[in-house]
Amino acid sequence: MTDTRVRVVLNRFRRSGVIDAPSRAPVRAFHRTLPGYAATPLVSRPALAARLGQGGLYVKYEAPRFGLGAFKGLGASWALHRLRAERSAPLGTVSAASAGNHGRAVAWAARLAGLPCVIFLPSGATPAQVDAIRAEGARVELIDGTYEETVRHCDEVSRQQGWQVISDVGYPGYLEIPPFVVEGYSTIFAEIDEQLAEAGLPEPDAVLIPAGVGGILHAGVEHYRRRAKPPVIIGVEPTAGDCFSASVLSDDGAPTLASGDGKTSMSYLNCAEVSLSSWSAIRDGVDAIIAIDDSVAEQGMRLLYHAAEGETPLEAGSSGASTTGALAGLLAEGIDPTVRKGLGLGPDRVVLVVCTQGAIDQAHFRRVVGSE
C-alpha cells in the first residue's frame, strides 16, 4: 500500500563526503545592519513531535522576517547589496518576476536602497499580493501567463529598458545573480545553529526544506553538506509542480520539466522548472525530494496552528506548511518504514522543518484551519 498523496524520490545522484562551501559570515553581518533585522523564531513543538512519533521537532518560522511575511527579504537585500558594491556604474531601475513573495522582497530592498522598481506577477496574483508590493513603492505589471512565462517576459522587457533583474531563478543567459540570492538565505541556517547552541538543544537528524525553484533548498544543502555528519536533507514540492522530482528521476540527472498540471494551493512553490544556477548543488547534495498533494500541505497548516496547551500556534500558508505536512505524510500508514528510517525519522530522532512563510492568504488560511 502506498499513500499516493506523498511521493518520495530518493536521490541516486547524491555525492558522498563533505561538500566544501565558502563562509557566509559577511552575509549575516550585512543583514544585521538592516532596519528591523532580528532572528526569526525557532519553535520547539514537543507535543507535535510525540504525535508524529518523533523524538523532537523544531520549526524555523519565517513569517516575521522584516515584516514581509516570508523569508525572501534575506536574498533580495543581499543580492542588491552585492550588485551595488561590485559594479562601478550606479544601478537604476530594478525588476523581478515573482509569484508574490520574492517580488515584495525586491520591492522592499529597492525602497531601502532608494531605487525605482518594477515587479512582474502572473495575472492570478491576489489583490493582497499586488497591494503589498505597491505599498513598497514598486510598479506592478500583471502578465497573462504562468510563473515561467512571467519570468521570460520580465527578462525581455528589462533588457529592452536597461533594468537590472533581481531574480531568484537561474535560466539561460541569467546565471550570475541568483547565487547571490541563495547566499542571502544562508542567514536562516546560521540563525538555527546559534539558536540550537544557545538553548543547548541537539542538532536535527533530518531537515525538510521547501523546494520551489531551489534557492532556499540550495542554501540548506550548502550549509549542511559542509559537515562530516550532515542531517538527512529533504526537499518538498507540490505534486502539481514537481520539477525537482522529475529532474532526480531523469536518466542523466538533467533539469527536467515538472510532470504535474500546475494546479495547487502551494502557489509559492508552483514551479515547472528548476533554477539552473541551483540544480547542480541540489543534485549533488540533497538526499530526497518529496512531492505532496494540497491536502497534505493543508494538514500541515492545521498541525502548526492547532497547538497543544503550552505550545506556540503558528499561522502558515500551504507553501510554508508544506514541510510539516510532508513530515506527517511520511509517517502515515502506507509509507515503507524502511524509507522513513532512511530519511532520518523515528522516535529517537529530531526533525527540523523550515516554514518559509506565514498565512499570507488569510481567507485560505481561515478556511483550512477552521475545517478540523
Side-chain angles (χ1 to χ4, degrees), residues 197-259:
E198 289 171 358
L201 294 171
E203 293 286 336
D205 298 293
V207 179
L208 283 79
I209 305 171
V213 295
I216 189 172
L217 181 56
H218 181 179
V221 164
E222 181 181 84
H223 182 84
Y224 289 112
R225 287 301 307 274
R226 299 175 194 171
R227 302 178 178 182
K229 293 184 178 180
V232 176
I233 305 169
I234 303 167
V236 179
E237 65 185 358
T239 305
D242 59 347
C243 53
F244 279 97
S245 297
S247 299
V248 168
L249 287 169
S250 67
D251 291 339
D252 56 357
T256 303
L257 285 174
S259 65

Side-chain angles (χ1 to χ4, degrees), residues 64-78:
R65 184 71 70 181
F66 296 122
L68 299 174
F71 70 106
K72 295 279 191 173
L74 293 169
S77 60
W78 174 251

Side-chain angles (χ1 to χ4, degrees), residues 40-43 45 58-65 69-72 101 188-189 192 207-210 216 269 297 300-301 304-305 314-325 352-359 365:
T40 51
L42 182 68
V43 181
R45 293 287 295 271
Y58 313 135
V59 182
K60 181 61 169 173
Y61 184 57
E62 284 295 299
R65 184 71 70 181
F71 70 106
K72 295 279 191 173
N101 286 339
I188 294 170
F189 300 99
I192 292 169
V207 179
L208 283 79
I209 305 171
I216 189 172
L269 304 180
M301 293 169 65
L304 289 174
Y305 185 67
L314 300 173
E315 293 191 6
S318 55
S319 296
S322 63
T323 47
T324 302
L352 165 68
V353 296
V354 179
C355 179
T356 48
Q357 68 170 67
F365 172 76

Side-chain angles (χ1 to χ4, degrees), residues 64-284:
R65 184 71 70 181
F66 296 122
L68 299 174
F71 70 106
K72 295 279 191 173
L74 293 169
S77 60
W78 174 251
L80 190 53
H81 171 74
R82 279 204 60 173
L83 281 172
R84 298 180 79 198
E86 295 178 6
R87 297 193 176 177
S88 55
L91 292 181
T93 299
V94 298
S95 63
S98 174
N101 286 339
H102 178 69
R104 185 179 180 188
V106 172
W108 168 79
R111 177 175 60 78
L112 292 182
L115 297 174
C117 180
V118 181
I119 300 298
F120 296 83
L121 299 176
S123 57
T126 67
Q129 291 171 323
V130 173
D131 290 346
I133 293 170
R134 286 175 175 159
E136 300 292 347
R139 192 172 95 214
V140 175
E141 297 285 345
L142 296 176
I143 305 305
D144 187 14
T146 64
Y147 168 75
E148 285 74 23
E149 289 168 336
T150 304
V151 168
R152 288 188 276 272
H153 183 82
C154 172
D155 183 81
E156 179 181 353
V157 173
S158 297
R159 290 179 188 275
Q160 293 171 352
Q161 298 295 328
W163 298 339
Q164 177 59 64
V165 177
I166 308 290
S167 179
D168 57 351
V169 58
Y171 48 86
Y174 185 83
L175 298 174
E176 174 196 5
I177 296 169
F180 298 168
V181 176
V182 171
E183 291 172 10
Y185 298 153
S186 67
T187 287
I188 294 170
F189 300 99
E191 290 177 358
I192 292 169
D193 286 351
E194 286 184 4
Q195 289 165 320
L196 291 175
E198 289 171 358
L201 294 171
E203 293 286 336
D205 298 293
V207 179
L208 283 79
I209 305 171
V213 295
I216 189 172
L217 181 56
H218 181 179
V221 164
E222 181 181 84
H223 182 84
Y224 289 112
R225 287 301 307 274
R226 299 175 194 171
R227 302 178 178 182
K229 293 184 178 180
V232 176
I233 305 169
I234 303 167
V236 179
E237 65 185 358
T239 305
D242 59 347
C243 53
F244 279 97
S245 297
S247 299
V248 168
L249 287 169
S250 67
D251 291 339
D252 56 357
T256 303
L257 285 174
S259 65
D261 61 10
K263 298 177 181 178
T264 175
S265 67
M266 290 171 273
S267 56
Y268 299 101
L269 304 180
N270 188 15
C271 305
E273 302 172 14
V274 303
S275 173
L276 296 183
S277 51
S278 289
W279 169 238
S280 62
I282 293 171
R283 181 187 58 205
D284 289 348

